[in-house]
Amino acid sequence: MVKFDVLTVGNAIVDIISRCDDSFLTENAITKGAMNLIDAERAEKLYGLMGPAVEASGGSAGNTAAGIANLGGKAAYFGKVADDQIGKIFIHDIRAQGVHYETRPKGCNPPTARSMIFVTSDGERSMNTHLGACVEFGPEDVEPEVVASSKVTYFEGYLWDPPRAKQAILDCARIAHENGREMSMTLSDSFCVDRYRAEFLDLMRSGTVDIVFSNTQEVLALYETDDFDLALDRLARDCKLAAVTMSEKGAVVVKGAERIRVDALHIEELVDTTGAGDLFAAGFLYGYTQGRSLYDCGRLGCFAAGVVIQQIGPRPLISLEQAGRELGLI
């Protein structure tokens, strides 16, 4: 029996978002546009240097789950928080979005993960993440009945960093496939790809993962090439279905010999790219699990991403379902 459209699995993180200029990034050795993993000491230092900030529950897969629920889909989420104040905020926020979330918190040490996100004037975000309690996520946190009753289980490549999470993901894939469901992943960022290229390719080529999400930089990094078309051809060979975002150029959906191009949503102002890829995946998977065409799935992805980059924070502040209906997308 299908209970959920999409189950997402990822690092449960509270985002702390502040604006800065490029010189701040240089002075503090922050790699622009990347997710930088940091320890507790650096987390405290960067937090002390931040200007006025907005706190919002985030984490890549958590954002995707929230986006699917916002679109009117049925979403579930696995991710680990600590039994602390920030953890309570995360739990409240994701449940308030209408997402099924029952992963048990674990103590107070390490604390709930947090990511200091610095947004420059071009809307680019540079993330500095202390994983904290995220590293405690493991096989015991997998709810088999939720995996079995979800059309698609989706996990973030970032989750490949904590060792025990790998086994939990493989358990999810086994349960999903045993029940005729599909498994999906996002490559997360090019630095993540560099760390786990061989493992990610094995997940795809072995059929452990059916659907892959990527952006231009990530797919080029995956195949260690500067030739985008060549990378798409190799991606098509290695997985059943993929969607690659191309910023203002929109996205391309890849399936076998098919290359389905989709235009980006016209926006008034680029404010913050935090969550753009997460919301693209939300829109695409919402459409996919509703039986829409691949072109429509791409359009829904570009729509959701286009909405979220016009605001601060990774979770839509408007009803995507209502806005999508007004545009004739839903």
Side-chain angles (χ1 to χ4, degrees):
M1 183 182 73
V2 173
K3 188 174 180 182
F4 301 105
D5 295 314
V6 183
L7 160 66
T8 75
V9 188
N11 289 322
I13 299 172
V14 172
D15 293 332
I16 304 168
I17 306 167
S18 180
R19 291 190 171 278
C20 75
D21 55 30
D22 286 278
S23 62
F24 178 90
L25 301 181
T26 303
E27 290 164 8
N28 290 282
I30 297 169
T31 303
K32 184 172 181 177
M35 193 280 282
N36 307 273
L37 287 175
I38 59 174
D39 59 20
E41 183 180 353
R42 182 156 170 80
E44 288 298 321
K45 178 184 177 183
L46 290 178
Y47 185 72
L49 293 171
M50 294 186 92
V54 174
E55 292 189 5
S57 295
S60 176
N63 296 337
T64 298
I68 289 163
N70 191 299
L71 282 157
K74 296 175 182 177
Y77 177 70
F78 296 165
K80 201 77 167 176
V81 297
D83 189 14
D84 55 17
Q85 185 57 35
I86 288 185
K88 289 180 173 66
I89 289 170
F90 184 93
I91 292 169
H92 171 271
D93 284 359
I94 198 161
R95 288 178 176 169
Q97 295 272 354
V99 176
H100 170 91
Y101 176 56
E102 297 296 336
T103 308
R104 289 185 187 178
K106 183 173 181 179
C108 293
N109 190 26
T112 297
R114 63 211 65 195
S115 183
M116 274 66 70
I117 302 178
F118 296 94
V119 182
T120 42
S121 59
D122 56 1
E124 188 62 81
R125 83 282 185 271
S126 305
M127 300 179 287
N128 302 267
T129 304
H130 176 49
L131 289 175
C134 286
V135 300
E136 303 295 334
F137 182 79
E140 70 278 5
D141 296 306
V142 172
E143 301 165 53
E145 68 284 358
V146 175
V147 181
S149 60
S150 299
K151 295 177 184 176
V152 176
T153 294
Y154 166 96
F155 72 94
E156 57 186 81
Y158 288 137
L159 199 61
W160 217 245
D161 284 308
R164 294 176 64 249
K166 294 183 182 183
Q167 187 56 54
I169 290 167
L170 293 174
D171 288 349
C172 285
R174 175 182 52 79
I175 296 165
H177 289 141
E178 285 175 354
N179 287 274
R181 313 301 187 193
E182 291 181 291
M183 197 74 182
S184 177
M185 74 173 293
T186 171
L187 298 181
S188 290
D189 79 15
S190 56
F191 294 91
C192 188
V193 170
D194 288 338
R195 291 195 294 276
Y196 302 115
R197 180 177 295 105
E199 291 174 74
F200 285 175
L201 286 170
D202 182 64
L203 288 171
M204 294 158 57
R205 291 168 179 169
S206 67
T208 303
V209 167
D210 304 292
I211 307 167
V212 175
F213 290 89
S214 173
N215 65 24
T216 301
Q217 292 73 31
E218 292 156 8
V219 77
L220 293 176
L222 183 66
Y223 293 106
E224 298 181 277
T225 181
D226 293 326
D227 187 328
F228 185 59
D229 289 328
L230 175 63
L232 293 184
D233 289 343
R234 291 181 176 174
L235 187 62
R237 180 192 64 196
D238 286 340
C239 65
K240 172 182 163 185
L241 175 65
V244 180
T245 58
M246 305 180 292
S247 300
E248 71 278 0
K249 295 179 182 177
V252 56
V253 182
V254 177
K255 183 178 182 181
E258 291 184 86
R259 303 289 181 272
I260 303 166
R261 303 266 174 172
V262 184
D263 290 335
L265 182 77
H266 173 75
I267 63 171
E268 298 299 323
E269 180 187 10
L270 174 61
V271 175
D272 172 17
T273 58
T274 306
D278 307 334
L279 269 293
F280 176 87
F284 188 98
L285 288 172
Y286 169 77
Y288 186 76
T289 55
Q290 303 305 309
R292 301 290 292 272
S293 70
L294 293 179
Y295 176 72
D296 283 351
C297 292
R299 288 183 72 204
L300 282 161
C302 287
F303 156 69
V307 168
V308 83
I309 64 175
Q310 296 182 80
Q311 62 168 61
I312 288 286
R315 305 233 171 132
L317 302 177
I318 66 168
S319 167
L320 292 176
E321 182 178 15
Q322 182 179 339
R325 290 189 188 283
E326 289 172 0
L327 291 173
L329 295 173
I330 297 177

